[in-house]
Amino acid sequence: MILNVKSKIETDIFFVNCYGEKERRSNLIAVAYLAVLFFLCISSSSLAQKKSKSMNDKQIVIYQLLPRLFGNKNTTNIPYGTIEQNGSGKFNDITDKALDGIKELHVSYVWYTGAIAHASLTDYSKYGIKVDDADVVKGRAGSPYAIRDYYDVNPDLAVDVNRRMKEFEALVKRTHAKNLKVIIDFVPNHVARSYHSYAKPKNVIDFGAKDDVNAGFSPANDFYYIPGQKFLVPQLAPQQTPISSLQDGHFDENPAKASGNDVFVAQPKGDDWYETIKLNYGVDYQNGKQQHFDPIPPVWTKMRDILVYWAKKDVDGFRCDMAEMVPIAFWNWVIPQVKSINPDIIFLGEAYNPKVYKQYLDEGKFDYLYDKVGLYDGLKRLIKDEPNADVASIKYVWQSESAGFGNRMLRFLENHDEERIASAGFAGKAELALPAMVVSATLGSGPVMLYFGQEVGEPGKGQEGFGGDDNRTTIFDYWGVPNHQKWMNNGAFDGKQLDENQLKLRAYYKQLLKVTSTSDAVLHGDTYEAPHTGNMNNRMYAFIRYSGKQRLLVVVNFDRNQTLEASIEIPDSILKVKSSSPVTDLLTDRKLNIPAGTSIPVKLEPVSAQVIEF
């Protein structure tokens, strides 16, 4: 509506400018007409803002899943196995029943990781897709972050490869029908070395098609080049794998292009992002990062068009990979343009430098950023009971690092990049992270995220292929995810294969997110840090979230051995905010026999938490 009205106004202004001198009377009529249209435009904009605001009446809960893994019922799990051996989930496997199960966790957005077509070693040449080169693909299934075609979806995920986009679009509709929203990845910093769009619209020019390959850097180029040198495959540690026979140590690229992690040499190292090539946003990295943003570099407009393409497919948000590696000026330019199509679309940035968080939020116009370096890292030390772990790291995050914008930080304990909580290298037991999950969900009003399988204690165990036994669930290989498959129960998605502990864990997540996603104090309230009292040590923490409608006391005990015993004093200023409620532990729905007063006694077993409404 808004875009149509705006377009109409611009057309009518053009008409008046051209012909108003000849028809003064018509001009006056046109001006009056424009005034009415302007009023309608403002009214429509106001309604859109109200709509956007009203949609934030609950805390956002994001559920991340890889369709390739999520719907895979195959339990064979051969290291480096082919899609025929190990299987692959499909868009169609994410059924209404699956979405109901996700929604039980009070999820509002589903992040479909790896939906866009990326480089892989599976042969789809009979569908007109060239086979990728094994020397520049990680794993057999390939990394979801080495995009092969921005205008296509991953053929692995389709039952009928010729109808793969239709199957994706059906998934979006199915998700929306459950009142859930859709996030997909936007990978702006790099593309696969084999990038070529077979599915692009007719008017789209592929990346690099008009580049001057003799220039190491040109603002008009899409890529960075190493003139006069051929690309050389990295020298990897010698090892025999099932895909070794597909690797001949050669990839035809002349001249070589810079690799995705800002490596400007013809032969990157094995731990570089050698499977990707860096996109050129007009920054001359080898000359002091000089910026050439006027005229607008071609990559900017190509990326805008890609975002608009997916926005018009009713995608509700983009998780922007390595957002800090792309200039803030680009985000400032592109995000408002995409939001002019859908004001409610969200941009979530992967970010790791706290010094520029505020800049990427304010200037870059991101809605949310990862809270990895601050909260996640501090909580991980506490979960692992490391010697330097201290709840002071929690305090530092909300009082200093993200003070003033904590509501725009995404909190999580797992994602595709991080170790599984239940893995041997992290906690070894999923329940050891429950106090941290309570903090993640209650400390701010920003989004909280789960990674599929987290809620049933998936340990990420096994040497799947490229990733090795690294405590993570592989993103590079075809694989079945054992604990998640127990909940999936061959497509019934009823959890009937889960054991008692796994069922309890999932129930805990359901109850916690039921409380936090609907809590007025979490969404709109202020935060007060309760002073250390009783026997509280540096593994124990308490804070109050309070609004005019609700007061919550959050108490967490990360200590592996000691029970927390304390009396938490409640300041008069907080007690006066609202009338008292029956004192209730919301995680158990148990009424606590505590007399009304200015303090709340707590007794908390090791590695546990309470969310007390009072």
Side-chain angles (χ1 to χ4, degrees), residues 227-299:
Q229 297 184 56
K230 294 181 180 180
F231 173 78
L232 298 175
V233 172
Q235 291 185 337
L236 304 176
Q239 57 175 330
Q240 275 301 116
T241 73
I243 64 172
S244 294
S245 61
L246 303 175
Q247 298 167 327
D248 61 5
H250 176 74
F251 178 71
D252 187 16
E253 181 181 287
N254 188 16
K257 302 180 182 78
S259 297
N261 58 324
D262 299 352
V263 172
F264 295 83
V265 296
Q267 185 174 37
K269 296 177 181 176
D271 57 357
D272 287 324
W273 304 349
Y274 63 84
E275 80 281 21
T276 67
I277 42 182
K278 175 83 174 178
L279 286 167
N280 174 9
Y281 283 81
V283 179
D284 189 352
Y285 285 90
Q286 294 182 290
N287 283 292
K289 295 187 178 180
Q290 292 178 19
Q291 298 178 342
H292 301 264
F293 300 159
D294 186 13
I296 295 295
V299 163

Side-chain angles (χ1 to χ4, degrees), residues 175-327:
T175 307
H176 286 162
K178 293 296 182 181
N179 201 26
L180 293 165
K181 296 193 172 189
V182 172
I183 293 174
I184 63 170
D185 289 285
F186 175 54
V187 188
N189 177 67
H190 48 267
V191 294
R193 285 213 117 85
S194 59
Y195 186 90
H196 176 79
S197 180
Y198 297 96
K200 66 183 184 296
K202 289 182 180 178
N203 62 328
V204 171
I205 299 170
D206 238 348
F207 289 105
K210 293 189 174 182
D211 280 7
D212 175 5
V213 300
N214 296 311
F217 167 78
S218 166
N221 280 353
D222 294 332
F223 299 126
Y224 298 91
Y225 295 89
I226 297 94
Q229 297 184 56
K230 294 181 180 180
F231 173 78
L232 298 175
V233 172
Q235 291 185 337
L236 304 176
Q239 57 175 330
Q240 275 301 116
T241 73
I243 64 172
S244 294
S245 61
L246 303 175
Q247 298 167 327
D248 61 5
H250 176 74
F251 178 71
D252 187 16
E253 181 181 287
N254 188 16
K257 302 180 182 78
S259 297
N261 58 324
D262 299 352
V263 172
F264 295 83
V265 296
Q267 185 174 37
K269 296 177 181 176
D271 57 357
D272 287 324
W273 304 349
Y274 63 84
E275 80 281 21
T276 67
I277 42 182
K278 175 83 174 178
L279 286 167
N280 174 9
Y281 283 81
V283 179
D284 189 352
Y285 285 90
Q286 294 182 290
N287 283 292
K289 295 187 178 180
Q290 292 178 19
Q291 298 178 342
H292 301 264
F293 300 159
D294 186 13
I296 295 295
V299 163
W300 289 32
T301 54
K302 288 176 180 176
M303 284 303 195
R304 178 200 59 197
D305 293 345
I306 287 163
L307 287 165
V308 168
Y309 174 83
W310 292 103
K312 288 183 175 179
K313 289 191 178 291
D314 292 332
V315 165
D316 304 290
F318 297 98
R319 179 269 188 187
C320 301
D321 186 68
M322 298 306 297
E324 291 170 313
M325 297 184 77
V326 173

